[in-house]
Amino acid sequence: MAFGLLRSLTALLPLAALAAAAANNTVYIISNAETPSLNLPGLTPIGLQRAQDCLPSLLGPLNIGKIISCPVDEEDNLCGETVATATPTANALGLTIDTSCGADEETDDDCVTKLINQFGKNSTQAVLIVWDVNAMDDLFENLDIDDDNEDDDDNDDDDDDDDGAAHFDVITTIVKKKVQSTASQSCSGIDGQAPGTFRKRSLIPAETSAKKRHLKSRITGVY
């Protein structure tokens, strides 16, 4: 009898391993597309172009099986355009948008994680998260994502990526809760640098550059 029980448990081990592996779905995270100034609703013409013309072709080949987006929260002025951004891609993929997790403080912090884990029990396809650009930090924290790049440069002033500005053109790839890449969506005609408008990056090492600025600030009194 003990031998039979052991055989049963041994037979279940591969299934348990498969279930654990299935939970490690690749996750793609993007923000809502561009929105008008002055908190006006809707997407800008550029935002609409991104949502309708770029994202479906960009995300189509990524084997996405689930799309998660936050619902409109008028009280906190969040997620007004996330669904509008995700809809053309959802239509192209034949998927519905799961809006059961909000970006507000009332929603369980683990809500999105639970959705991903539940989906991962039955599928190895990727998950797309379309979230409010102003709530990205909270999303990453709630997902417990490990971004090794955050510690690469202790000089915040020299980090061109951490400039406090909203970036609507970025796609982040997460594998096993670690950031694998953060890249431009490279939407034709709306992303990248226009010729003649960009500056060259400094070739001076960040540490040296920081020391020079510090020396200059001590001399001029301006920080």
Side-chain angles (χ1 to χ4, degrees), residues 12-27:
L12 289 174
L13 286 177
L15 296 177
L18 180 61
N24 293 323
N25 306 68
T26 298
V27 177

Side-chain angles (χ1 to χ4, degrees), residues 107-110 113 137-145 177:
T107 301
D108 180 7
D109 289 347
D110 296 327
T113 299
D137 287 345
D138 290 338
L139 174 66
F140 274 67
E141 182 178 347
N142 292 340
L143 291 176
D144 193 25
I145 292 173
K177 292 197 173 185

Side-chain angles (χ1 to χ4, degrees), residues 169-192:
D169 62 335
V170 170
I171 179 170
T172 301
T173 304
I174 311 295
V175 178
K176 295 182 179 180
K177 292 197 173 185
K178 288 189 176 182
V179 174
Q180 295 298 303
S181 66
T182 300
S184 171
Q185 296 169 8
S186 298
C187 296
S188 178
I190 57 177
D191 288 342

Side-chain angles (χ1 to χ4, degrees), residues 25-37:
N25 306 68
T26 298
V27 177
Y28 298 102
I29 300 177
I30 63 172
S31 76
N32 56 272
E34 289 84 347
T35 57
S37 302

Side-chain angles (χ1 to χ4, degrees), residues 57-68:
S57 58
L58 171 70
L59 300 170
L62 299 183
N63 192 28
I64 292 169
K66 186 175 183 63
I67 299 177
I68 300 172

Side-chain angles (χ1 to χ4, degrees), residues 91-113:
N91 290 341
L93 296 177
L95 299 174
T96 57
I97 303 172
D98 190 326
T99 59
S100 58
C101 295
D104 58 294
E105 295 181 356
E106 302 297 326
T107 301
D108 180 7
D109 289 347
D110 296 327
C111 184
V112 176
T113 299

Side-chain angles (χ1 to χ4, degrees), residues 31-55 80-82 84-85 88 133 166-169 189-191:
S31 76
N32 56 272
E34 289 84 347
T35 57
S37 302
L38 306 177
N39 291 324
L40 294 175
L43 299 173
T44 65
I46 293 295
L48 192 62
Q49 182 179 347
R50 182 182 304 283
Q52 292 184 343
D53 301 336
C54 176
L55 292 180
E81 281 64 47
T82 55
T85 300
V133 70
H167 295 284
F168 302 97
D169 62 335
I190 57 177
D191 288 342

Side-chain angles (χ1 to χ4, degrees), residues 210-223:
K211 287 181 179 178
K212 285 188 175 182
R213 283 205 313 275
H214 183 61
L215 177 61
K216 182 179 179 181
S217 66
R218 290 182 63 183
I219 295 174
T220 63
V222 178
Y223 288 82

